[in-house]
Amino acid sequence: MQTRHAAIIGCGAIHTCHVDALRHVPGAVLRAIVDIDSEKGSRLAADYGCQFYQDYREMLLDDAIDVVHICTPHYLHKPMILAALAAGKQVFCEKPVVMNPQEVSDIQAAATIAQRHVGVCYQNRLNPTSLAIQRCIEEGRLGAMRAVKAVLTWSRSGNYYAASPWRGSFATEGAAC
Ligand SMILES: NC(=O)c1ccc[n+]([C@@H]2O[C@H](COP(=O)([O-])OP(=O)(O)OC[C@H]3O[C@@H](n4cnc5c(N)ncnc54)[C@H](O)[C@@H]3O)[C@@H](O)[C@H]2O)c1
């Protein structure tokens, strides 16, 4: 089996899902983590038995790293994706991949030039309800699709927004078109 080495940039709330997922992928090895918080990052790296970097650009110099998982705030995704592609890495980025639709074409162009893949973490596509809806559509049970309206009701308390300063702002979360 071929071994693939991964690095994770951003060790906040979601990164533990990536650590856990990598443990379940045969041949995958977590080689490095990156965070601007050196105290947290060093502690986690010791727990995971991997290297720690405070600057993702230094991590990208490691030729042994095949894939970079990006788990930072939205506004950092694009520069980190472009840097990882330029360094010859495959990329797996948390959603939303970018801040606005215009940034998508820059990333697609960079991936084409680098001949690398950019995957986006849309894990809810595999939820049982999502798969059930997909089956209904594919089996034609809903007839010809004319339009789709989806409503997702999630509750986010004030604590969620207070926990990370980038949350809840158009400048750092995007979507202000
Ligand atoms: N797929 C999902 O369902 C899902 C769920 C939660 C979050 N997310 C996404 O994951 C991303 C991160 O969310 P979160 O809740 O983990 O955020 P968070 O604020 O909890 O963690 C972000 C981490 O990135 C670090 N960071 C910030 N700038 C950095 C830099 N320049 N270099 C290295 N590290 C840096 C911070 O120190 C922090 O540890 C967001 O884009 C979010 O939308 C996706």
Side-chain angles (χ1 to χ4, degrees):
M1 183 191 309
Q2 198 171 9
T3 301
R4 298 283 185 196
H5 292 97
I8 297 174
I9 312 178
C11 298
I14 199 63
H15 97 283
T16 52
C17 296
H18 291 249
V19 172
D20 188 51
L22 286 166
R23 286 184 178 134
H24 290 86
V25 176
V29 173
L30 177 60
R31 184 175 169 90
I33 58 171
V34 184
D35 204 288
I36 46 172
D37 182 338
S38 61
E39 189 185 325
K40 176 172 70 171
S42 306
R43 177 172 40 80
L44 289 169
D47 287 351
Y48 302 151
C50 69
Q51 296 168 31
F52 169 69
Y53 296 88
Q54 195 171 15
D55 185 333
Y56 73 95
R57 291 164 297 191
E58 285 179 24
M59 175 276 292
L60 292 175
L61 297 175
D62 181 351
D63 288 337
I65 290 171
D66 302 293
V67 57
V68 174
H69 294 227
I70 297 177
C71 300
T72 48
H74 313 354
Y75 70 100
L76 295 172
H77 291 180
K78 180 184 168 186
M80 290 179 171
I81 290 170
L82 295 183
L85 290 171
K89 313 299 186 192
Q90 309 287 356
V91 176
F92 186 48
C93 185
E94 266 300 343
K95 62 83 192 159
V97 67
V98 286
M99 299 278 282
N100 56 60
Q102 291 79 28
E103 292 186 352
V104 174
S105 52
D106 295 343
I107 288 174
Q108 286 174 329
T112 301
I113 290 167
Q115 297 188 302
R116 293 292 183 272
H117 297 288
V118 178
V120 185
C121 190
Y122 290 130
Q123 82 283 5
N124 291 322
R125 289 179 303 176
L126 302 178
N127 290 352
T129 44
S130 306
L131 294 175
I133 293 167
Q134 185 183 12
R135 269 197 307 279
C136 283
I137 295 168
E138 286 173 355
E139 292 166 6
R141 284 193 268 155
L142 298 177
M145 299 284 285
R146 303 289 183 215
V148 175
K149 182 176 181 183
V151 178
L152 177 66
T153 42
W154 274 355
S155 171
R156 297 289 201 196
S157 71
N159 289 341
Y160 170 82
Y161 291 98
S164 289
W166 61 272
R167 291 178 182 152
S169 137
F170 283 130
T172 48
E173 279 215 70
C177 295

